[in-house]
Amino acid sequence: MRTQRLDTSPQSIAVAAELLRHGELVAFPTETVYGLGGHALDQAAVAAIFAAKGRPTSDPLIVHLATAADLPRVAVDIPPLATELATHFWPGPLTLIVPRHPHVPRTVTAGRETVAVRVPSHPIAHALLVAAGVPVAAPSANRFGHTSPTTADHVLADLDGRIAAIIDGGPTPIGIESTVLDCTTNPPTLLRPGGISLEALTAMAGPIQTYHRTTDRSETGLVSPGLLDRHYAPDHELWLFSGPPTAVLHRLRSEAETALAAGLRIGLLLPAEDLVLFDDLPVEMESLGPVTEPETMAQRLYAALRALDARHPDRILTRDLDESGLGRAICDRLRRAAARLVIV
Ligand code: TXA
Ligand code: MG
């Protein structure tokens, strides 16, 4: 199968919508990352999503809707808090876990009685969902376990020939996936930090429990199967240094020097301010942007990881960032992508 590359014209969106309605797979931009879309109520299309990604069928998909008014099409017994949050944060990068409507195939929800739903704010995603007129299941458009795609080229690097089409809408503005909040627990549970900060959610919803992978994880009892370790990973080893920034940078520099002396190729993924400290070393560098701009760092994170990967370093070194606001989501992805965590 050749993957058709479509522009964002109304004619192209009509073509993509028609493909979706007929059970074909179409990748499209959202405000977070590119999604790999398929008709959510069509069993065969849903099965094709898992196959194209190489994703285990135990990992449920997010259903995307054109508007919050469509929520009763895919969910029942919607908790009042979910309605409140939807009213406030949709369209936008928040995924709500709510009880599943019986006509949503169990393949979408990986056998669960709950379904993940979101209404994206990206104008192309919105136009596509309106034109398709059906709920669209869409995981991030990467091979399973790989870094999420923030450009059409990232998608094609992973999925060219495996999907019918992609709409190229340029780089995605937020760059990191949606926040996933389980509204079926009391208080609600943050399953994945993302584009809407925990602070913003708490201001609206009151107390929220956070899910701790290290303590809650078991082989059989994963709350959210996407919360596996070694997720979002680059092809080359990522080492994450955690601790007070000054000490971390000192340690990072000595690790880089030792590795270089041993003949290894080293990549650095750091805020712009940090990189100047390594200017004199023969290393590959990718800047996340100013450390004071978490939005910029989130937007660049996955593209920077892929760019470093493409230069085949033996090891990529990075550090923890401040966890407030979007920083929580960035640190979460770095931890999951890391092959090794070094506490300084
Ligand atoms: O920003 C995003 O959310 C992007 C764009 C394309 O919308 N999508 C995305 O999908 O990141 P995916 O499949 O890569 O991540 C969905 C996450 C997974 O961790 C999955 O386990 C979790 O949501 N999830 C889906 N349904 C669930 C459910 N019923 N209960 C608990 N977790 C669920
Ligand atoms: Mg994903």
Side-chain angles (χ1 to χ4, degrees), residues 244-270:
T246 314
V248 157
L249 287 170
H250 192 79
R251 177 70 184 278
L252 233 154
R253 179 155 179 123
S254 75
E255 290 282 346
E257 284 172 346
T258 309
L260 289 168
L264 298 183
R265 280 170 69 84
I266 292 299
L268 295 180
L269 175 75
L270 289 170

Side-chain angles (χ1 to χ4, degrees), residues 9-294:
S9 67
Q11 294 84 341
S12 295
I13 286 170
V15 168
E18 196 58 25
L19 286 168
L20 281 175
R21 272 198 301 274
H22 285 95
E24 301 284 346
L25 304 186
V26 177
F28 61 96
T30 80
E31 69 277 25
T32 58
V33 300
Y34 274 75
L36 169 55
H39 191 325
L41 308 182
D42 175 338
Q43 298 264 15
V46 173
I49 293 176
F50 286 99
K53 271 191 73 120
R55 176 168 169 139
T57 52
S58 56
D59 193 357
L61 307 177
I62 297 174
V63 174
H64 296 65
L65 303 174
T67 135
D70 290 341
L71 187 55
R73 288 176 72 182
V74 296
V76 290
D77 302 332
I78 299 159
L81 180 69
T83 307
E84 228 173 284
L85 290 168
T87 307
H88 193 81
F89 291 106
W90 283 355
L94 176 64
T95 294
L96 300 172
I97 310 287
V98 289
R100 177 184 73 94
H101 190 293
H103 75 200
V104 175
R106 281 208 176 73
T107 40
V108 171
T109 68
R112 284 147 201 267
E113 288 310 320
T114 57
V115 61
V117 189
R118 89 176 189 95
V119 175
S121 62
H122 194 290
I124 300 307
H126 178 73
L128 178 65
L129 290 163
V130 169
V134 296
V136 172
S140 50
N142 49 279
R143 279 193 339 263
F144 178 70
H146 199 213
T147 313
S148 294
T150 58
T151 68
D153 284 339
H154 295 166
V155 176
L156 290 170
D158 277 17
L159 299 174
D160 197 5
R162 303 174 74 89
I163 57 178
I166 174 165
I167 303 177
D168 185 351
T172 56
I174 296 176
I176 215 155
E177 300 86 344
S178 63
T179 303
V180 179
L181 187 72
D182 188 346
C183 296
T184 67
T185 61
N186 190 11
T189 310
L190 180 74
L191 295 179
R192 178 176 75 181
I196 298 283
S197 71
L198 180 59
E199 292 88 334
L201 283 179
T202 306
M204 261 302 292
I208 287 171
Q209 47 185 335
T210 51
Y211 173 76
H212 295 290
R213 274 178 303 140
T214 42
T215 50
D216 297 356
R217 195 163 75 105
S218 73
E219 285 306 313
T220 49
L222 284 173
V223 171
S224 193
L227 302 173
L228 288 164
D229 289 319
R230 290 291 290 134
H231 212 63
Y232 306 95
D235 293 332
H236 300 88
E237 236 181 44
L238 182 73
W239 288 24
L240 172 61
F241 292 77
S242 179
T246 314
V248 157
L249 287 170
H250 192 79
R251 177 70 184 278
L252 233 154
R253 179 155 179 123
S254 75
E255 290 282 346
E257 284 172 346
T258 309
L260 289 168
L264 298 183
R265 280 170 69 84
I266 292 299
L268 295 180
L269 175 75
L270 289 170
E273 291 87 341
D274 295 354
L275 284 177
V276 297
L277 305 171
F278 298 87
D279 255 354
D280 56 321
L281 297 182
V283 289
E284 301 289 341
M285 296 186 187
E286 276 296 322
S287 170
L288 288 168
V291 76
T292 50
E293 291 179 19

Side-chain angles (χ1 to χ4, degrees), residues 292-316:
T292 50
E293 291 179 19
E295 291 78 13
T296 307
M297 293 196 288
Q299 205 276 330
R300 290 193 187 169
L301 176 65
Y302 291 135
L305 267 175
R306 282 186 187 245
L308 277 177
D309 240 359
R311 284 176 257 160
H312 304 294
D314 295 296
R315 200 171 290 163
I316 300 171

